[in-house]
Amino acid sequence: MDEFSRIARYFAPLAGPEGLGLLDDAALMAALPGEDLVLAKDVAIAGVHFPIGCVPAVAARRSLRPNLSDLAAMGARPLGYLLGLSLPAALDERWIAGFAAALWEDQQAYGLSLWGGDSVKAPHDLSISITIIGAIAKGAALRRSGARAGDDIYVSGVIGAAAAGLAQALGKAPVRERWLDAYEAPTPRLDLGRALVGLASAAIDVSDGLVADVGHLAQASRCAAALQLADVPIPSGLPLSPEDAITAGDDYELAFTAAPSVRSAIFTLSESLGLTLSRIGVMRAASKDGSPVVVLKPDGSELLLSRTGWQHA
Amino acid sequence: MDEFSRIARYFAPLAGPEGLGLLDDAALMAALPGEDLVLAKDVAIAGVHFPIGCVPAVAARRSLRPNLSDLAAMGARPLGYLLGLSLPAALDERWIAGFAAALWEDQQAYGLSLWGGDSVKAPHDLSISITIIGAIAKGAALRRSGARAGDDIYVSGVIGAAAAGLAQALGKAPVRERWLDAYEAPTPRLDLGRALVGLASAAIDVSDGLVADVGHLAQASRCAAALQLADVPIPSGLPLSPEDAITAGDDYELAFTAAPSVRSAIFTLSESLGLTLSRIGVMRAASKDGSPVVVLKPDGSELLLSRTGWQHA
């Protein structure tokens, strides 16, 4: 199956009007008066971001949803995406069909369409590069940089389940459906992100690890974060230490800060979304040793971490 | 050198205001009233789109400029780009420095800035995925689909030089600077594209091969193209057959159609840009056998081609 047949058969049906039927050199999008555009791009590679040999639906979800999570962190709503596919010769048409079907499901679930992209043969690595485009009211985007000393720090959902799921996917832990799902099909917190506009002072999505990402938020805000380990929503029975859970990443929850004056509004939001929002710490003035995050144990002493999160070498 | 140091040292200096210092989850762009956005995405892999072991400036130019060429084909002006870098462990910091320096030069030459992206470690393949964003007056974008029977077909510059350059880069032909440059540093025809708005009926950039790309234009326009081989601007002394030159690709020239009534305007444009624009054929009603392109030899007989252009399997 050649490139053009593949596009016509599997990807043209995913295209929105901006994609021009995937027949042109580029996508074309009319300006949205009064709105800012939000653009994010992630690369996901087999053996790094999803397991080699995983079903194509997992590759699709672990490629598209981290991008949706980036939009969620800024409070934006999704519009469309461009897809760059690098395909080793060994992948067959069934893989493409399964991959496109999973993208279609997510397009329906999250309200976006395919606008274009590129599809090339790869010497070795199966790689999926997605650029996502979203929109938000002018000037309203949540940023990492808005937190102030005294703000509360929150995180949505649970932390560590995706890391347990990865251990299962790699055959290193017994399978529990819920954790495997957290890894294979993370839930981008789009509704939460949009509801946090006007409520949160800063936000970030947890992709590298809770400690690392709260650290990024603290640094961008020129503050420091103090996290209470006992308040981090780590599910019981996790086949990981708490230290691993808060540094492992892949959670795609939102970490955000908000003034103490809006605690009840955030509690109400948690109720209305049916989503746990845990208050896990407080922002402080930047510490003089420059460490952007401290994690405190129940006895008030500091948890010393050998790493804060995932990094690409 | 870790991911964050690499971004801070080499890529943050390339960032425009939309990139938010490369510190946030995504780029943020204010709407441009009265303009449409044009978005294109290409993936370039070492060993497929540029030679393994080539200098980083060649990898940079052969990644960014094809995207600029996609904007040129629609008549758009560049605004910014997002960069997805998949880096094998063997690449050192000097490679990154050279790559970023070449991107910086092209940003200055073509008037755009880096807005964001992703940088990951790759098990094997060095891969560069670029998403480009451009703008054009509302409704003015050139499309592949606007050609009509009777329109003239033109192509800019020369055809086949890049293919000769590739043969040289691979050590298969003696080196001539001008041809190597055509391959290693293609010139996106942005000024031409913008000047063709209101003049051309359809346009496409020549990336897969002249015959293949004119075929894409003809199919999108529901017409057929008849090309005169003798009128295709193939430079003399090329170490390729004319058949190879018109099917090899990588030229990044613009092929476009225009009504015969604007021939003198196109001649004037060629003069003012200092760029050869060759009239190479004519659009016809779609032929009943469905072939979108015929190439005619000087004696009027049809040139039979074993392939029309590059395809990714």
Side-chain angles (χ1 to χ4, degrees):
Chain A
M1 154 155 277
D2 69 32
E3 178 185 6
F4 301 110
S5 312
R6 185 165 64 223
I7 292 170
R9 181 149 180 191
Y10 293 108
F11 296 109
L14 306 185
E18 294 85 352
L20 309 174
L22 307 188
L23 288 174
D24 248 285
D25 286 298
L28 201 54
M29 185 211 154
L32 300 169
E35 294 204 278
D36 290 333
L37 287 186
V38 179
L39 300 109
K41 181 188 185 95
D42 279 327
V43 179
I45 305 183
V48 182
H49 302 86
F50 53 88
I52 289 173
C54 73
V55 298
V58 169
R61 291 180 195 126
R62 285 197 49 84
S63 304
L64 183 58
R65 296 187 186 186
N67 282 284
L68 288 161
S69 182
D70 285 330
L71 294 188
M74 296 184 87
R77 72 177 196 283
L79 299 173
Y81 67 105
L82 297 108
L83 172 66
L85 260 185
S86 304
L87 300 170
L91 283 189
D92 60 10
E93 191 177 336
R94 264 184 59 196
W95 192 94
I96 302 288
F99 181 76
L103 289 177
W104 173 254
E105 280 177 23
D106 274 8
Q107 291 186 197
Q108 304 315 300
Y110 299 110
L112 75 171
S113 60
L114 181 63
W115 289 6
D118 196 10
S119 153
V120 303
K121 64 180 176 188
H124 300 97
D125 299 331
L126 167 60
S127 170
I128 303 160
S129 158
I130 286 180
T131 304
I132 201 161
I133 302 100
I136 188 166
K138 193 172 176 58
L142 297 172
R143 302 281 305 275
R144 295 181 180 183
S145 54
R148 295 185 170 199
D151 281 356
D152 295 321
I153 304 170
Y154 297 83
V155 73
S156 63
V158 298
I159 292 296
L166 172 58
Q168 294 169 20
L170 298 175
K172 294 180 183 165
V175 172
R176 280 180 60 173
E177 200 67 33
R178 191 164 56 99
W179 296 341
L180 198 59
D181 265 10
Y183 174 74
E184 294 187 337
T187 304
R189 299 301 186 187
L190 287 158
D191 291 343
L192 172 61
R194 292 171 71 175
L196 288 176
V197 172
L199 205 54
S201 53
I204 191 170
D205 70 320
V206 181
S207 54
D208 293 336
L210 178 67
V211 176
D213 287 313
V214 169
H216 296 151
L217 184 154
Q219 286 184 300
S221 298
R222 299 172 192 277
C223 289
L227 298 179
Q228 299 291 341
L229 182 60
D231 295 335
V232 175
I234 299 170
S236 61
L238 211 62
L240 294 173
S241 70
E243 291 83 346
D244 285 342
I246 63 176
T247 57
D250 279 324
D251 304 290
Y252 297 106
E253 297 293 346
L254 293 189
F256 59 96
T257 57
S261 58
V262 298
R263 277 184 195 171
S264 69
I266 285 172
F267 181 76
T268 306
L269 177 60
S270 168
E271 295 278 296
S272 72
L273 294 173
L275 175 65
T276 306
L277 300 177
S278 303
R279 184 151 50 84
I280 59 171
V282 67
M283 298 300 294
R284 296 173 170 173
S287 61
K288 64 174 185 287
D289 71 351
S291 170
V293 193
V294 294
V295 180
L296 300 169
K297 292 189 280 195
D299 66 6
S301 66
E302 188 177 342
L303 179 70
L304 297 176
L305 295 164
S306 57
R307 61 169 212 161
T308 60
W310 171 257
Q311 278 210 4
H312 285 280
Chain B
M1 150 156 281
D2 70 30
E3 179 183 7
F4 301 110
S5 313
R6 188 164 64 221
I7 292 169
R9 181 148 180 192
Y10 293 109
F11 296 108
L14 305 185
E18 295 84 352
L20 309 174
L22 307 187
L23 289 172
D24 249 284
D25 286 299
L28 201 54
M29 185 210 153
L32 298 170
E35 294 203 277
D36 290 334
L37 286 186
V38 179
L39 300 108
K41 180 188 185 97
D42 279 329
V43 179
I45 305 183
V48 182
H49 302 85
F50 52 87
I52 290 173
C54 72
V55 298
V58 169
R61 291 180 194 125
R62 285 196 50 83
S63 303
L64 183 59
R65 296 187 186 187
N67 282 282
L68 288 162
S69 182
D70 284 330
L71 294 188
M74 296 183 87
R77 70 176 197 282
L79 300 173
Y81 67 105
L82 297 111
L83 173 66
L85 261 185
S86 304
L87 301 170
L91 283 189
D92 59 11
E93 191 177 335
R94 264 183 59 196
W95 193 94
I96 302 288
F99 181 76
L103 288 177
W104 173 253
E105 278 177 24
D106 274 9
Q107 290 187 198
Q108 303 316 300
Y110 300 109
L112 75 172
S113 60
L114 180 63
W115 289 5
D118 196 10
S119 154
V120 303
K121 64 180 177 191
H124 301 96
D125 299 332
L126 167 60
S127 170
I128 303 160
S129 158
I130 286 181
T131 304
I132 201 160
I133 301 101
I136 188 167
K138 194 171 175 58
L142 296 171
R143 301 281 305 274
R144 295 181 179 182
S145 54
R148 296 186 169 196
D151 282 355
D152 294 321
I153 305 170
Y154 296 84
V155 74
S156 62
V158 299
I159 292 295
L166 172 59
Q168 293 169 20
L170 298 176
K172 294 181 185 167
V175 171
R176 280 179 61 173
E177 200 67 33
R178 189 165 58 97
W179 296 340
L180 198 58
D181 265 12
Y183 174 74
E184 293 188 338
T187 304
R189 300 300 187 189
L190 287 158
D191 291 342
L192 173 61
R194 293 170 72 175
L196 288 176
V197 172
L199 206 53
S201 54
I204 190 169
D205 69 321
V206 180
S207 56
D208 293 337
L210 178 67
V211 176
D213 287 313
V214 169
H216 297 150
L217 184 153
Q219 285 184 302
S221 298
R222 298 171 193 278
C223 289
L227 298 179
Q228 298 291 341
L229 182 60
D231 295 334
V232 175
I234 299 170
S236 62
L238 211 64
L240 295 172
S241 70
E243 291 82 347
D244 285 343
I246 63 175
T247 57
D250 279 326
D251 304 289
Y252 298 107
E253 297 294 346
L254 294 189
F256 59 96
T257 56
S261 58
V262 298
R263 277 184 195 173
S264 69
I266 286 171
F267 181 76
T268 306
L269 177 60
S270 168
E271 294 280 293
S272 71
L273 293 173
L275 175 65
T276 306
L277 301 177
S278 304
R279 185 152 49 85
I280 59 171
V282 66
M283 298 300 294
R284 296 172 170 172
S287 61
K288 62 174 188 291
D289 73 352
S291 170
V293 193
V294 294
V295 181
L296 300 169
K297 293 189 279 193
D299 66 4
S301 66
E302 188 177 343
L303 179 70
L304 297 176
L305 295 164
S306 57
R307 62 170 210 159
T308 60
W310 170 260
Q311 277 211 4
H312 285 280

